[in-house]
Amino acid sequence: MGNHNMHNADHAADSLICTHAFSAERPILYVYREDDGFWTFTCGGTDHEDRRDVVPVCHDCALEEHGLTSAIGDLPPGFEASRDAVDANWKTRRSSD
């Protein structure tokens, strides 16, 4: 994730990202924004067993580093976005949680 994985006061670790996406092993295919505004970015895989599979990250940095700012940067709280592949369109909907 470039220089943004080194969080300082300007880059608060205010979100979570799965280790697959953080290491660029897999692309981000699923994003969830909780009602309180907290973001979670994942590869969409089902092989996330526990908290060791996610790391804290600055949400603006995650959006920027993965080229997602224009596509989902304005995702409202309480919504989720998903896509089937990197070149697919994002589908957004209100979260059922």
Side-chain angles (χ1 to χ4, degrees):
M1 281 213 35
N3 295 328
H4 296 298
N5 61 357
M6 303 297 281
H7 298 290
N8 58 34
D10 294 335
H11 299 281
D14 57 2
S15 301
L16 295 175
I17 187 170
C18 78
T19 55
H20 303 117
F22 185 79
S23 67
E25 179 183 332
R26 299 179 194 165
I28 294 174
L29 299 179
Y30 176 79
V31 177
Y32 171 61
R33 189 164 183 207
E34 295 181 24
D35 288 330
D36 65 4
F38 190 86
W39 294 75
T40 302
F41 303 89
T42 76
C43 63
T46 58
D47 55 343
H48 302 105
E49 299 296 323
D50 56 39
R51 301 283 285 167
R52 291 177 292 185
D53 296 323
V54 294
V55 294
V57 67
C58 163
H59 82 274
D60 284 334
C61 297
L63 289 168
E64 181 182 324
E65 292 281 330
H66 293 272
L68 303 177
T69 303
S70 64
I72 59 167
D74 61 353
L75 187 69
F79 278 72
E80 57 188 32
S82 62
R83 59 184 176 170
D84 295 325
V86 173
D87 58 351
N89 290 328
W90 285 95
K91 299 173 192 163
T92 61
R93 67 175 183 240
R94 178 166 283 291
S95 176
S96 58
D97 284 352

